[in-house]
Amino acid sequence: MAINVKVLARPVEEVSYVRATLKGMARTFKHLIEPHKVTIQYPDQKKDISKRWRGTHRMLTTETGKAKCVACGLCPTVCPSNCIKLVPGEDEQGNRYPLVFEIDEFRCIFCGYCQEVCPEEAIHVGRHYENSEYSREGFVYDLERLTAQTHPVSEMWDPADPKGE
Amino acid sequence: MIPSSVFAAVHVIPDPPLAWWPFIISTVIKMLLVFTVYMIGVAMLTLAERKISAWIQGRLGPNRVGGKLGLLQPAADGVKNIMKEETLPAHVNKPIFTLAPMLAFIPALMAAAVIPFGAPWDSRWGRISMVIADLPVGFLFILAISSLGVYGIVLAGWSSNNKYALLGGLRSSAQMVSYEISMGMSLIPVLLLAGNVTLNEIVDQQANMHLWNVLTLTISFFIFMVAAFAETNRLPFDLPEAESELIAGYHTEYSAMKFSMFPISEYANMATSSALMATLFFGGWDIPFMKQDNTGGVGILLVLLSIAIFAVKTGFFIFVFIWIRWTLPRFRYDQLMSLGWKTMLPLALAYIVIVAATLLGLDYLGSVFPRFQRDFLWAHVIPVYGLAMLGVNIVLVIIVFFILDRGRIISPAYGRATPQQIARLRAVTAVRSHLSPQSGD
Amino acid sequence: MPNFFYQVNFYLFGLIAIGSAIAFVTRRSPVAAALWLVNTMFCLAVLYVMLEAQFIGVIQVLVYAGAIMVVFLFVVMLLNLGEPSEIADIRGKWGKLVAALLGIVLLAQVAALSGKRMPEPFIPGTGYDAQAVRDLGAVGSVAQPLFNEYLLAFELTSILLLVAIVGAVVIGRRRQIDAR
């Protein structure tokens, strides 16, 4: 857009500061006595977040309590910020499982590609955002921590219901 | 021929004198009382400001300490400010840097000494007037003291050795000196009407006239209120601490309790100005629709009632101060100066002339028709004198606010530009728009 | 009893005034000097009030301390004269000598005058002033003679001030026009 400053000719003869002030004061007074307040008292009340909110990761588990992950390596591949560290392993039956699965929540941009790409529906982004820590190391979530999380997980985008209603 | 009554002195009927010991005891009690109420009131004002600003902006405001209204928030703030570290920047002028917060704070409290806050009490020891010091020079004292408030700000700005603080101090000194004049001039009609400068006399005059001065001298009230906003550095006149330009202005370098002295003095000034507005223009402590209280001393219950009425009136003006702060944006500096010197001052001067002429005319009429005398027998039934003043006032208000106030009180940046200058500006911007890229972001 | 308080206050504020005045002329920093001058003016105002001249006392604070000294400070700050500098008016041996002589003459005059009895109207609490204050109020006792007996002098003074203002405006405007 071009910078095009318009010098408006305001009708000076009709401008009155005092009357405009009174009008403004009436407006603010209306707000003053209005009972509806927009404040959300955060730690006590929380804002409703979308079903598709992409927050702290969570690893879902099977009935036996093991992580669903099969260490296919899709999520570290697709991850745009390169925050997933995956070292695959294999047990006696030949089932692949992650030896190391770490997500650096500081590097993560919460795009949710890992959840979309996961064939086993194992890794998920969650509907959760309160993940403060005292140190940087605390933000590197290992497999144990990822499976231990209990918050609800994000829903995928559904073409039939694009707005998530 | 000018009637001699115009120049007749107003005889102050002296109170039944107190003996020296009830005088000292009652004065000490009044001092302690006013000081305590002032300090608690100022603390509560900080809360009120935060609450009202929150409500106006659709928020809740402080509600964590002391119930839903956050009544203990001022105490929490005070404790925090005392516990905080006092920083003393390396290049400040130390004695003046330490002195400045006190100089801001002391005048703010001193002015409260001469404001009458209640009807005189006929106690068994004699008549006790509800004012700490009933000075014969009344509100000239308040003007003098409030003119000293600028020292705290100017010295804070200068001694901080910081360009923002210095600019804040410079702005405040220019602003306060300019508006002091309009403030003094706006009060002269009140003096003319009352014939005296003591605040108690002004309260009595309004009670006797059965009309508040705001009804007879509206334009004075308007000028006084605007000047009071400027004197207390409240929005829309808070240029000395304009955050967007000067960080925090004159108190940029201050911290902890030294810093909080400045807000405290600002709120104390606000309370004093509100009390003054209530006294000078809204009848002061006078209980409306009642005769007893302005005939002299009254019993303790009526005294308490009059104090309550005074508190309500003062509280209302404090609310107006806060209300306007959260309504209006800040002026530009040139608007501030042109408002003070080119609008307020000529308006006040013209108003003095008009009011003086009206009073002279009415006093002359009073010598011909007794109905127009100020102390006419039936004045409390039909205040003819006051009604005549009211009529003149209504005409003046219509002239000032509906005819003269057309883009003149506060003008836009080009308000005083000639049509040719505006045309040239337009031409310049048209050329500039050709030079700028037409496409892209 | 009141007389004792009067004496104590008189000497207290008199001494503070003298001390501040000495500090005012000896300080090198213009801001500190200005502040000491404000202090002197305050003490003078107190002395005026003690002489039953409340109006003069208040005007002393309002005009000198509240307005003129603020403008002084304003100029000092604007020109950044905060540091001690060589802005003294009196320089050199001869200048100092003349200044000292003038001071001694002034002191001698004060000493000679204080030996005499005060003229009747200026003795506090008894003369014309106290009676006038009681009758006319603190302001009326000044206003009445000012606008009746001394009206011509008053008007002449106001014309003098007006001339000064017009002169200031002319000087300011001429610079503007020259700049253009």
Side-chain angles (χ1 to χ4, degrees):
Chain A
M1 210 183 84
I3 303 162
N4 199 353
V5 182
K6 249 190 194 171
V7 181
L8 285 174
R10 231 184 304 171
V12 174
E13 293 303 307
E14 290 163 28
V15 174
S16 162
Y17 190 79
V18 174
R19 273 172 280 155
T21 302
L22 291 178
K23 216 190 267 177
M25 284 169 76
R27 168 66 62 197
T28 43
F29 193 75
K30 227 178 271 168
H31 281 285
L32 176 70
I33 54 175
E34 191 177 61
H36 171 72
K37 303 295 177 200
V38 296
T39 305
I40 294 166
Q41 302 197 56
Y42 163 60
D44 302 341
Q45 293 172 359
K46 281 176 192 165
K47 205 174 168 180
D48 285 335
I49 53 177
S50 162
K51 277 187 274 181
R52 297 215 304 270
W53 178 279
R54 301 191 299 263
T56 320
H57 295 87
R58 199 184 146 189
M59 174 70 80
L60 294 194
T61 53
T62 58
E63 294 80 43
T64 55
K66 275 187 68 186
K68 280 184 177 174
C69 179
V70 296
C72 63
L74 279 175
C75 52
T77 311
V78 79
C79 182
S81 60
N82 203 9
C83 69
I84 302 176
K85 183 181 176 190
L86 173 65
V87 178
E90 212 170 20
D91 64 4
E92 297 81 50
Q93 286 91 40
N95 296 328
R96 283 165 70 92
Y97 72 98
L99 276 175
V100 178
F101 190 94
E102 280 177 4
I103 297 184
D104 188 344
E105 300 281 327
F106 252 9
R107 287 196 65 104
C108 181
I109 59 167
F110 299 101
C111 59
Y113 282 3
C114 48
Q115 179 179 357
E116 279 190 48
V117 82
C118 186
E120 297 293 317
E121 297 195 346
I123 188 70
H124 281 79
V125 279
R127 276 142 70 182
H128 178 264
Y129 49 88
E130 290 155 314
N131 48 359
S132 52
E133 289 286 341
Y134 284 104
S135 67
R136 283 176 165 273
E137 291 74 41
F139 283 97
V140 182
Y141 286 18
D142 58 7
L143 189 62
E144 200 180 333
R145 183 151 179 199
L146 284 168
T147 49
Q149 316 246 43
T150 53
H151 55 257
V153 296
S154 171
E155 280 178 16
M156 297 273 280
W157 182 69
D158 182 2
D161 176 22
K163 284 181 182 168
E165 285 157 347
Chain B
M1 184 62 217
I2 298 165
S4 59
S5 66
V6 175
F7 295 117
V10 178
H11 289 273
V12 188
I13 304 150
D15 298 337
L18 289 168
W20 67 271
W21 61 268
F23 174 75
I24 289 177
I25 290 175
S26 67
T27 306
V28 167
I29 289 175
K30 279 186 284 187
M31 275 159 68
L32 287 177
L33 200 79
V34 169
F35 182 76
T36 316
V37 168
Y38 236 69
M39 291 290 50
I40 294 175
V42 164
M44 287 331 243
L45 267 183
T46 61
L47 174 67
E49 172 115 67
R50 291 172 66 177
K51 269 306 211 193
I52 291 172
S53 73
W55 287 335
I56 283 177
Q57 294 166 357
R59 297 181 285 115
L60 290 172
N63 61 353
R64 295 275 147 182
V65 208
K68 247 191 135 35
L69 282 172
L71 287 174
L72 289 177
Q73 187 69 41
D77 288 346
V79 170
K80 185 197 89 171
N81 269 326
I82 290 170
M83 307 294 276
K84 265 179 92 164
E85 184 195 354
E86 293 244 6
T87 54
L88 190 70
H91 299 290
V92 300
N93 187 327
K94 271 173 204 150
I96 297 181
F97 189 76
T98 320
L99 190 69
M102 299 183 224
L103 280 183
F105 180 63
I106 293 169
L109 273 183
M110 257 164 91
V114 294
I115 298 177
F117 52 89
W121 176 32
D122 262 340
S123 67
R124 74 166 85 155
W125 304 279
R127 183 172 298 170
I128 296 173
S129 61
M130 286 293 153
V131 49
I132 292 175
D134 198 1
L135 288 187
V137 281
F139 69 65
L140 288 180
F141 175 81
I142 294 180
L143 284 185
I145 293 301
S146 69
S147 72
L148 297 176
V150 67
Y151 278 106
I153 294 175
V154 168
L155 292 177
W158 179 78
S159 67
S160 295
N161 204 357
N162 171 320
K163 58 190 163 194
Y164 298 111
L166 182 69
L167 278 174
L170 278 175
R171 282 182 175 192
S172 87
S173 60
Q175 173 181 330
M176 281 176 144
V177 169
S178 312
Y179 278 84
E180 227 161 63
I181 299 170
S182 327
M183 189 185 225
M185 290 294 166
S186 74
L187 290 179
I188 288 179
V190 180
L191 296 187
L192 289 174
L193 196 56
N196 205 320
V197 287
T198 62
L199 290 164
N200 260 324
E201 284 286 317
I202 291 166
V203 173
D204 283 352
Q205 170 258 323
Q206 295 180 62
N208 290 330
M209 200 181 231
H210 300 273
L211 275 179
W212 287 345
N213 274 345
V214 70
L215 295 175
T216 49
L217 302 169
T218 313
I219 294 168
S220 267
F221 171 66
F222 172 72
I223 298 169
F224 182 78
M225 192 161 88
V226 173
F229 274 85
E231 289 281 301
T232 49
N233 291 327
R234 295 283 296 180
L235 266 167
F237 297 101
D238 72 335
L239 285 115
E241 45 184 308
E243 293 89 354
S244 49
E245 305 148 30
L246 297 181
I247 308 180
Y250 57 91
H251 51 56
T252 304
E253 297 285 1
Y254 282 89
S255 65
M257 213 52 205
K258 273 197 209 124
F259 163 75
S260 79
M261 285 296 217
F262 287 110
I264 288 174
S265 59
E266 183 186 317
Y267 285 110
N269 274 325
M270 219 167 100
T272 309
S273 301
S274 304
L276 215 53
M277 276 189 238
T279 307
L280 293 173
F281 294 99
F282 283 79
W285 45 261
D286 177 51
I287 307 168
F289 311 114
M290 210 162 158
K291 281 279 345 153
Q292 277 139 305
D293 56 322
N294 46 47
T295 53
V298 290
I300 186 75
L301 279 178
L302 279 182
V303 169
L304 290 179
L305 181 62
S306 69
I307 291 176
I309 281 182
F310 181 71
V312 168
K313 285 173 184 171
T314 307
F316 173 74
F317 284 109
I318 289 173
F319 171 68
V320 170
F321 264 97
I322 298 174
W323 183 12
I324 287 188
R325 169 166 182 189
W326 298 102
T327 301
L328 291 181
R330 185 180 298 128
F331 285 160
R332 266 193 339 259
Y333 198 66
D334 64 315
Q335 286 176 330
L336 174 95
M337 281 295 152
S338 84
L339 176 72
W341 289 103
K342 293 183 185 166
T343 307
M344 290 295 155
L345 192 55
L347 189 63
L349 286 173
Y351 197 59
I352 291 172
V353 174
I354 293 172
V355 167
T358 313
L359 286 176
L360 265 182
L362 282 175
D363 281 339
Y364 177 72
L365 272 181
S367 67
V368 183
F369 309 106
R371 195 176 286 269
F372 278 95
Q373 275 168 19
R374 294 192 197 194
D375 47 357
F376 179 56
L377 192 60
W378 296 331
H380 60 280
V381 185
I382 313 164
V384 181
Y385 191 92
L387 286 181
M389 287 290 298
L390 179 64
V392 173
N393 181 53
I394 289 172
V395 173
L396 287 177
V397 166
I398 289 173
I399 290 176
V400 170
F401 291 126
F402 289 89
I403 299 172
L404 288 183
D405 170 30
R406 298 242 168 126
R408 287 195 187 86
I409 286 188
I410 289 297
S411 50
Y414 63 91
R416 292 178 198 284
T418 58
Q420 290 84 16
Q421 281 170 317
I422 293 176
R424 208 181 62 214
L425 265 178
R426 286 228 182 75
V428 168
T429 50
V431 170
R432 215 179 273 153
S433 70
H434 285 300
L435 293 176
S436 57
Q438 291 293 323
S439 60
D441 200 338
Chain C
M1 200 62 172
N3 208 19
F4 172 69
F5 281 127
Y6 189 91
Q7 295 281 331
V8 167
N9 279 328
F10 178 81
Y11 284 111
L12 180 67
F13 284 102
L15 286 176
I16 296 176
I18 292 171
S20 315
I22 291 171
F24 160 58
V25 287
T26 51
R27 291 304 95 185
R28 296 197 73 87
S29 155
V31 172
L35 285 180
W36 283 113
L37 186 57
V38 171
N39 206 23
T40 313
M41 283 164 176
F42 251 106
C43 296
L44 286 184
V46 170
L47 295 180
Y48 286 141
V49 171
M50 286 170 66
L51 289 168
E52 296 277 330
Q54 287 100 341
F55 181 71
I56 306 289
V58 166
I59 292 300
Q60 169 90 8
V61 175
L62 182 61
V63 173
Y64 286 97
I68 292 182
M69 289 316 292
V70 173
V71 176
F72 253 69
L73 274 183
F74 184 84
V75 172
V76 166
M77 281 160 55
L78 198 65
L79 303 181
N80 203 12
L81 300 175
E83 288 77 40
S85 53
E86 304 80 39
I87 50 168
D89 290 328
I90 301 164
R91 285 179 208 163
K93 197 167 61 179
W94 286 105
K96 277 178 186 165
L97 208 65
V98 170
L101 263 176
L102 272 178
I104 289 167
V105 169
L106 262 177
L107 272 180
Q109 280 177 338
V110 171
L113 275 178
S114 64
K116 296 234 169 69
R117 211 169 130 15
M118 269 192 186
E120 185 69 16
F122 297 122
I123 295 175
T126 53
Y128 166 79
D129 289 356
Q131 188 60 42
V133 167
R134 228 169 286 140
D135 285 351
L136 299 166
V139 182
S141 59
V142 175
Q144 200 81 298
L146 185 63
F147 292 108
N148 286 331
E149 296 159 42
Y150 305 110
L151 186 62
L152 184 68
F154 177 77
E155 290 299 334
L156 284 178
T157 316
S158 48
I159 287 173
L160 187 67
L161 289 177
L162 185 68
V163 168
I165 293 170
V166 170
V169 171
V170 165
I171 291 171
R173 293 295 275 180
R174 188 187 290 153
R175 285 236 181 94
Q176 260 183 22
I177 292 162
D178 287 352
R180 242 180 251 164

